PDB file of all heavy atoms in Angstrom:
ATOM      1  N   PRO A  95       9.289  19.021  32.985  1.00 88.00           N
ATOM      2  CA  PRO A  95       9.808  18.881  31.673  1.00 88.00           C
ATOM      3  C   PRO A  95       8.700  18.778  30.728  1.00 88.00           C
ATOM      4  O   PRO A  95       7.868  17.792  30.690  1.00 88.00           O
ATOM      5  CB  PRO A  95      10.824  17.663  31.676  1.00 88.00           C
ATOM      6  CG  PRO A  95      10.595  17.042  32.904  1.00 88.00           C
ATOM      7  CD  PRO A  95       9.909  17.909  33.837  1.00 88.00           C
ATOM      8  N   LEU A  96       8.585  19.728  29.631  1.00 94.00           N
ATOM      9  CA  LEU A  96       7.623  19.624  28.673  1.00 94.00           C
ATOM     10  C   LEU A  96       8.308  19.341  27.342  1.00 94.00           C
ATOM     11  O   LEU A  96       7.552  18.981  26.363  1.00 94.00           O
ATOM     12  CB  LEU A  96       6.842  20.920  28.526  1.00 94.00           C
ATOM     13  CG  LEU A  96       5.949  21.412  29.769  1.00 94.00           C
ATOM     14  CD1 LEU A  96       5.507  22.825  29.392  1.00 94.00           C
ATOM     15  CD2 LEU A  96       4.918  20.341  30.036  1.00 94.00           C
ATOM     16  N   GLY A  97       9.605  19.565  27.392  1.00 95.00           N
ATOM     17  CA  GLY A  97      10.391  19.204  26.080  1.00 95.00           C
ATOM     18  C   GLY A  97      10.031  17.900  25.501  1.00 95.00           C
ATOM     19  O   GLY A  97       9.748  17.779  24.319  1.00 95.00           O
ATOM     20  N   GLU A  98      10.041  16.966  26.331  1.00 94.00           N
ATOM     21  CA  GLU A  98       9.763  15.437  25.894  1.00 94.00           C
ATOM     22  C   GLU A  98       8.370  15.394  25.200  1.00 94.00           C
ATOM     23  O   GLU A  98       8.255  14.783  24.123  1.00 94.00           O
ATOM     24  CB  GLU A  98       9.861  14.410  27.032  1.00 94.00           C
ATOM     25  CG  GLU A  98      11.272  14.105  27.419  1.00 94.00           C
ATOM     26  CD  GLU A  98      12.034  15.229  28.121  1.00 94.00           C
ATOM     27  OE1 GLU A  98      11.455  16.364  28.310  1.00 94.00           O
ATOM     28  OE2 GLU A  98      13.318  15.131  28.236  1.00 94.00           O
ATOM     29  N   VAL A 100       6.704  17.877  23.912  1.00 97.00           N
ATOM     30  CA  VAL A 100       6.832  18.550  22.592  1.00 97.00           C
ATOM     31  C   VAL A 100       7.262  17.647  21.514  1.00 97.00           C
ATOM     32  O   VAL A 100       6.495  17.495  20.422  1.00 97.00           O
ATOM     33  CB  VAL A 100       7.660  19.825  22.821  1.00 97.00           C
ATOM     34  CG1 VAL A 100       8.124  20.375  21.357  1.00 97.00           C
ATOM     35  CG2 VAL A 100       7.084  20.886  23.524  1.00 97.00           C
ATOM     36  N   THR A 135      16.713  11.386  24.338  1.00 95.00           N
ATOM     37  CA  THR A 135      16.959  12.840  24.397  1.00 95.00           C
ATOM     38  C   THR A 135      18.423  13.225  24.084  1.00 95.00           C
ATOM     39  O   THR A 135      18.683  13.968  23.177  1.00 95.00           O
ATOM     40  CB  THR A 135      16.380  13.451  25.681  1.00 95.00           C
ATOM     41  OG1 THR A 135      15.060  13.119  25.833  1.00 95.00           O
ATOM     42  CG2 THR A 135      16.517  14.855  25.644  1.00 95.00           C
ATOM     43  N   TYR A 207      14.734  31.877  30.989  1.00 97.00           N
ATOM     44  CA  TYR A 207      14.526  30.606  30.513  1.00 97.00           C
ATOM     45  C   TYR A 207      14.421  29.741  31.833  1.00 97.00           C
ATOM     46  O   TYR A 207      15.353  29.618  32.571  1.00 97.00           O
ATOM     47  CB  TYR A 207      15.664  30.124  29.678  1.00 97.00           C
ATOM     48  CG  TYR A 207      15.555  28.713  29.094  1.00 97.00           C
ATOM     49  CD1 TYR A 207      14.409  27.960  29.067  1.00 97.00           C
ATOM     50  CD2 TYR A 207      16.636  28.174  28.483  1.00 97.00           C
ATOM     51  CE1 TYR A 207      14.314  26.733  28.624  1.00 97.00           C
ATOM     52  CE2 TYR A 207      16.674  26.853  27.949  1.00 97.00           C
ATOM     53  CZ  TYR A 207      15.470  26.172  28.049  1.00 97.00           C
ATOM     54  OH  TYR A 207      15.444  24.930  27.606  1.00 97.00           O
ATOM     55  N   LYS A 209      11.101  27.070  33.944  1.00 94.00           N
ATOM     56  CA  LYS A 209       9.763  27.169  34.516  1.00 94.00           C
ATOM     57  C   LYS A 209       9.816  26.807  36.056  1.00 94.00           C
ATOM     58  O   LYS A 209       8.865  26.889  36.703  1.00 94.00           O
ATOM     59  CB  LYS A 209       8.859  26.111  33.813  1.00 94.00           C
ATOM     60  CG  LYS A 209       9.029  26.134  32.404  1.00 94.00           C
ATOM     61  CD  LYS A 209       8.244  25.118  31.722  1.00 94.00           C
ATOM     62  CE  LYS A 209       8.945  24.165  30.673  1.00 94.00           C
ATOM     63  NZ  LYS A 209       9.795  23.186  31.260  1.00 94.00           N
ATOM     64  N   THR A 235       8.646  32.955  33.740  1.00 97.00           N
ATOM     65  CA  THR A 235       7.332  32.109  33.797  1.00 97.00           C
ATOM     66  C   THR A 235       7.597  30.992  34.656  1.00 97.00           C
ATOM     67  O   THR A 235       7.490  29.726  34.190  1.00 97.00           O
ATOM     68  CB  THR A 235       7.139  31.597  32.207  1.00 97.00           C
ATOM     69  OG1 THR A 235       8.222  30.696  31.870  1.00 97.00           O
ATOM     70  CG2 THR A 235       6.985  32.763  31.274  1.00 97.00           C
ATOM     71  N   LEU A 255       3.718  29.749  35.262  1.00 96.00           N
ATOM     72  CA  LEU A 255       3.802  28.894  34.208  1.00 96.00           C
ATOM     73  C   LEU A 255       2.737  29.318  33.207  1.00 96.00           C
ATOM     74  O   LEU A 255       1.603  29.378  33.661  1.00 96.00           O
ATOM     75  CB  LEU A 255       3.789  27.401  34.594  1.00 96.00           C
ATOM     76  CG  LEU A 255       3.853  26.439  33.327  1.00 96.00           C
ATOM     77  CD1 LEU A 255       5.223  26.452  32.840  1.00 96.00           C
ATOM     78  CD2 LEU A 255       3.451  25.074  33.866  1.00 96.00           C
ATOM     79  N   LEU A 256       3.026  29.540  31.827  1.00 96.00           N
ATOM     80  CA  LEU A 256       2.050  29.903  30.986  1.00 96.00           C
ATOM     81  C   LEU A 256       1.677  28.716  29.978  1.00 96.00           C
ATOM     82  O   LEU A 256       2.407  27.903  29.722  1.00 96.00           O
ATOM     83  CB  LEU A 256       2.510  31.052  30.057  1.00 96.00           C
ATOM     84  CG  LEU A 256       2.762  32.375  30.727  1.00 96.00           C
ATOM     85  CD1 LEU A 256       3.404  33.384  29.756  1.00 96.00           C
ATOM     86  CD2 LEU A 256       1.491  32.998  31.284  1.00 96.00           C
ATOM     87  N   GLN A 258       1.334  27.122  26.422  1.00 95.00           N
ATOM     88  CA  GLN A 258       2.293  27.342  25.345  1.00 95.00           C
ATOM     89  C   GLN A 258       2.134  28.538  24.453  1.00 95.00           C
ATOM     90  O   GLN A 258       2.942  29.250  24.068  1.00 95.00           O
ATOM     91  CB  GLN A 258       2.532  25.992  24.606  1.00 95.00           C
ATOM     92  CG  GLN A 258       3.865  25.681  24.295  1.00 95.00           C
ATOM     93  CD  GLN A 258       4.122  24.319  23.565  1.00 95.00           C
ATOM     94  OE1 GLN A 258       3.223  23.734  23.093  1.00 95.00           O
ATOM     95  NE2 GLN A 258       5.309  24.011  23.577  1.00 95.00           N
ATOM     96  N   PHE A 261       2.946  31.626  26.260  1.00 97.00           N
ATOM     97  CA  PHE A 261       4.382  31.721  26.271  1.00 97.00           C
ATOM     98  C   PHE A 261       4.993  32.275  25.009  1.00 97.00           C
ATOM     99  O   PHE A 261       5.898  33.178  24.947  1.00 97.00           O
ATOM    100  CB  PHE A 261       5.059  30.425  26.638  1.00 97.00           C
ATOM    101  CG  PHE A 261       6.444  30.390  26.733  1.00 97.00           C
ATOM    102  CD1 PHE A 261       7.156  31.135  27.743  1.00 97.00           C
ATOM    103  CD2 PHE A 261       7.304  29.557  25.926  1.00 97.00           C
ATOM    104  CE1 PHE A 261       8.551  31.076  27.759  1.00 97.00           C
ATOM    105  CE2 PHE A 261       8.677  29.500  25.990  1.00 97.00           C
ATOM    106  CZ  PHE A 261       9.267  30.263  26.964  1.00 97.00           C
ATOM    107  N   PRO A 277      17.322  24.486  32.202  1.00 95.00           N
ATOM    108  CA  PRO A 277      17.497  23.178  31.579  1.00 95.00           C
ATOM    109  C   PRO A 277      18.494  23.222  30.348  1.00 95.00           C
ATOM    110  O   PRO A 277      18.538  24.170  29.664  1.00 95.00           O
ATOM    111  CB  PRO A 277      16.167  22.712  31.112  1.00 95.00           C
ATOM    112  CG  PRO A 277      15.404  23.934  30.886  1.00 95.00           C
ATOM    113  CD  PRO A 277      15.886  24.960  31.774  1.00 95.00           C
ATOM    114  N   GLY A 280      16.985  22.337  25.635  1.00 96.00           N
ATOM    115  CA  GLY A 280      15.597  22.123  25.511  1.00 96.00           C
ATOM    116  C   GLY A 280      15.089  22.858  24.291  1.00 96.00           C
ATOM    117  O   GLY A 280      15.805  23.481  23.626  1.00 96.00           O
ATOM    118  N   PRO A 281      13.736  22.799  24.053  1.00 98.00           N
ATOM    119  CA  PRO A 281      13.152  23.447  22.899  1.00 98.00           C
ATOM    120  C   PRO A 281      13.057  25.003  22.979  1.00 98.00           C
ATOM    121  O   PRO A 281      12.992  25.626  21.974  1.00 98.00           O
ATOM    122  CB  PRO A 281      11.745  22.812  22.728  1.00 98.00           C
ATOM    123  CG  PRO A 281      11.859  21.630  23.661  1.00 98.00           C
ATOM    124  CD  PRO A 281      12.779  21.891  24.780  1.00 98.00           C
ATOM    125  N   ALA A 282      12.791  25.502  24.204  1.00 98.00           N
ATOM    126  CA  ALA A 282      12.448  26.887  24.360  1.00 98.00           C
ATOM    127  C   ALA A 282      13.378  27.958  23.757  1.00 98.00           C
ATOM    128  O   ALA A 282      12.863  28.798  23.062  1.00 98.00           O
ATOM    129  CB  ALA A 282      12.313  27.198  25.812  1.00 98.00           C
ATOM    130  N   GLU A 285      12.331  28.292  20.117  1.00 98.00           N
ATOM    131  CA  GLU A 285      11.082  29.116  20.010  1.00 98.00           C
ATOM    132  C   GLU A 285      11.424  30.492  20.217  1.00 98.00           C
ATOM    133  O   GLU A 285      10.777  31.336  19.385  1.00 98.00           O
ATOM    134  CB  GLU A 285      10.106  28.489  21.101  1.00 98.00           C
ATOM    135  CG  GLU A 285       9.707  27.074  20.868  1.00 98.00           C
ATOM    136  CD  GLU A 285       8.992  26.506  22.166  1.00 98.00           C
ATOM    137  OE1 GLU A 285       8.758  27.130  23.064  1.00 98.00           O
ATOM    138  OE2 GLU A 285       8.576  25.220  21.947  1.00 98.00           O
TER     139      GLU A 285
HETATM  140  C1  U2F B  22      14.011  20.137  28.872  1.00 86.86           C
HETATM  141  O1  U2F B  22      12.673  20.206  29.061  1.00 86.86           O
HETATM  142  P1  U2F B  22      11.941  21.544  29.427  1.00 86.86           P
HETATM  143  O2  U2F B  22      10.549  21.216  29.377  1.00 86.86           O
HETATM  144  O3  U2F B  22      12.535  22.056  30.696  1.00 86.86           O
HETATM  145  O4  U2F B  22      12.249  22.354  28.054  1.00 86.86           O
HETATM  146  P2  U2F B  22      12.029  23.881  27.858  1.00 86.86           P
HETATM  147  O5  U2F B  22      13.006  24.222  26.805  1.00 86.86           O
HETATM  148  O6  U2F B  22      11.840  24.677  29.062  1.00 86.86           O
HETATM  149  O7  U2F B  22      10.642  23.987  27.027  1.00 86.86           O
HETATM  150  C2  U2F B  22       9.631  22.942  26.840  1.00 86.86           C
HETATM  151  C3  U2F B  22       8.398  23.660  26.399  1.00 86.86           C
HETATM  152  O8  U2F B  22       7.868  24.312  27.468  1.00 86.86           O
HETATM  153  C4  U2F B  22       7.089  25.328  26.927  1.00 86.86           C
HETATM  154  C5  U2F B  22       7.713  25.891  25.748  1.00 86.86           C
HETATM  155  C6  U2F B  22       8.616  24.678  25.244  1.00 86.86           C
HETATM  156  O9  U2F B  22       8.180  24.003  24.046  1.00 86.86           O
HETATM  157  O10 U2F B  22       6.993  26.387  24.761  1.00 86.86           O
HETATM  158  N1  U2F B  22       6.628  26.383  27.978  1.00 86.86           N
HETATM  159  C7  U2F B  22       5.384  26.580  28.252  1.00 86.86           C
HETATM  160  O11 U2F B  22       4.439  25.982  27.722  1.00 86.86           O
HETATM  161  N2  U2F B  22       5.062  27.511  29.159  1.00 86.86           N
HETATM  162  C8  U2F B  22       6.069  28.291  29.955  1.00 86.86           C
HETATM  163  O12 U2F B  22       5.646  29.032  30.580  1.00 86.86           O
HETATM  164  C9  U2F B  22       7.334  28.088  29.492  1.00 86.86           C
HETATM  165  C10 U2F B  22       7.722  27.002  28.538  1.00 86.86           C
HETATM  166  C11 U2F B  22      14.568  19.441  27.869  1.00 86.86           C
HETATM  167  F1  U2F B  22      13.665  19.444  26.804  1.00 86.86           F
HETATM  168  C12 U2F B  22      14.972  18.145  28.133  1.00 86.86           C
HETATM  169  O13 U2F B  22      16.001  17.887  27.115  1.00 86.86           O
HETATM  170  C13 U2F B  22      15.593  17.966  29.471  1.00 86.86           C
HETATM  171  O14 U2F B  22      15.555  16.687  29.870  1.00 86.86           O
HETATM  172  C14 U2F B  22      14.808  18.775  30.498  1.00 86.86           C
HETATM  173  C15 U2F B  22      15.453  18.650  31.861  1.00 86.86           C
HETATM  174  O15 U2F B  22      14.603  19.018  32.949  1.00 86.86           O
HETATM  175  O16 U2F B  22      14.649  19.998  30.152  1.00 86.86           O
END
Side-chain angles (χ1 to χ4, degrees):
L96 297 177
E98 280 70 10
V100 163
T135 307
Y207 180 17
K209 316 177 235 69
T235 62
L255 180 70
L256 292 175
Q258 222 177 14
F261 178 63
E285 295 167 1

